Amino acid sequence: MPEAGADAVLQARGLTKHFGAVVASRDVTLDLRAGEIHALIGPNGAGKSTLIAQITGELAPDAGRVWLEGRDVTGLGTVARARAGLGRTFQISALMMEATVLQNAVLGALGRRGTAFGGLLRPVLGDPELRGQAETALADVGLADHAGIVASELSHGQRRQLEVAVALTLQPRAFLMDEPMAGLGADGTRALTSLLDGLRARAPILLVEHDMDAVFALADRISVLVSGAVIASGTVDEVRRNPEVRRAYLGEERAP
């Protein structure tokens, strides 16, 4: 079992990954606690994508373990981890753009059930349980009135909302969100920030994000990844005041 507090929902311990002579993850340890948003930040090339791939099951670590609600999920793939309660949104949209908003959400609910999708949406939409789960998730993110719209016709911000709704249909125990603010304008960022702020009570969020204004507004804790290693972890104020973080990532111009 991992060494962490009882309120840790998602835990990574000692994650290490090599690509030849390059060490992409260096003994990374972090956790996600109930009710919080824990932001993971760092410069391009810091190893964030490699770390996230190990947590989600896309990439096997060379060393280290991952636990979800006390269960060792290190040997599970992405689908099994999602069914175990790890909800994921992506930097690049993974939506079915030719399907409607409701169809996308229904397929998310189908994935939680563990039933293979045979390519025919009509019978799936006729399942009252799946449809109810999908409609509830769409209402939660403010897309109830857009259920019949094809995903490709949504604004960029609305697609982000839909990705969150799809993740919600899995009834996640923890969220992992990869740069959800990417490509959003000021209005979209404000709307998504408000949405994520309310979600933490349902499931804690591990947030990978470059928009530092959003990070500072949302995060209860921040971990800073540089050259594959966590160089600092703490509250927003602690991280902003850390001289090493200021030199390596934030820059003196962002210091208080």
Side-chain angles (χ1 to χ4, degrees):
M1 287 290 293
E3 298 178 2
D7 61 346
V9 178
L10 178 66
Q11 302 169 68
R13 291 288 177 268
L15 292 184
T16 300
K17 188 66 182 179
H18 297 79
F19 295 103
V22 177
V23 184
S25 296
R26 301 172 182 268
D27 193 27
V28 175
T29 290
L30 56 79
D31 62 28
L32 179 63
R33 302 168 189 169
E36 77 167 350
I37 294 179
H38 187 160
L40 178 66
I41 66 173
N44 291 330
K48 298 188 298 298
S49 296
T50 298
L51 178 60
I52 294 310
Q54 292 170 84
I55 293 174
T56 59
E58 297 173 65
L59 192 63
D62 295 330
R65 315 295 296 179
V66 178
W67 284 266
L68 181 61
E69 291 195 311
R71 175 188 177 188
D72 188 340
V73 297
T74 311
L76 300 182
T78 54
V79 174
R81 292 191 200 193
R83 290 175 183 161
L86 184 57
R88 171 86 185 270
T89 67
F90 297 85
Q91 180 180 0
I92 300 173
S93 179
L95 298 172
M96 293 180 61
M97 290 299 175
E98 73 280 6
T100 67
V101 167
L102 178 61
Q103 288 168 342
N104 271 279
V106 166
L107 290 177
L110 182 66
R112 180 177 185 274
R113 182 182 287 181
T115 304
F117 173 54
L120 297 176
L121 283 168
R122 189 179 300 276
V124 175
L125 288 171
D127 186 310
E129 180 182 3
L130 294 177
R131 190 180 182 108
Q133 292 170 358
E135 289 174 342
T136 297
L138 293 177
D140 287 344
V141 303
L143 288 179
D145 293 337
H146 295 73
I149 295 176
V150 176
S152 61
E153 297 177 1
L154 296 176
S155 69
H156 186 63
Q158 289 170 331
R159 291 177 190 174
R160 290 299 193 192
Q161 291 173 269
L162 179 54
E163 290 169 355
V164 174
V166 172
L168 281 172
T169 64
L170 296 171
Q171 299 180 21
R173 309 303 298 166
F175 285 107
L176 198 160
M177 299 191 176
D178 189 0
E179 298 191 32
M181 309 297 173
L184 294 181
D187 290 343
T189 297
R190 279 193 294 270
L192 191 56
T193 297
S194 178
L195 174 59
L196 300 191
D197 192 30
L199 280 181
R200 78 178 86 204
R202 296 181 60 169
I205 301 170
L206 181 60
L207 176 68
V208 182
E209 185 54 63
H210 279 294
D211 186 325
M212 295 309 302
D213 290 331
V215 167
F216 290 152
L218 287 169
D220 298 288
R221 287 188 295 151
I222 300 174
S223 290
V224 185
L225 195 69
V226 175
S227 299
V230 174
I231 65 167
S233 188
T235 66
V236 170
D237 287 342
E238 289 169 343
V239 167
R240 292 184 72 168
R241 293 193 182 106
N242 186 298
E244 187 177 3
V245 173
R246 287 162 58 173
R247 286 192 300 269
Y249 182 53
L250 294 181
E252 290 296 326
E253 72 277 4
R254 296 210 63 102

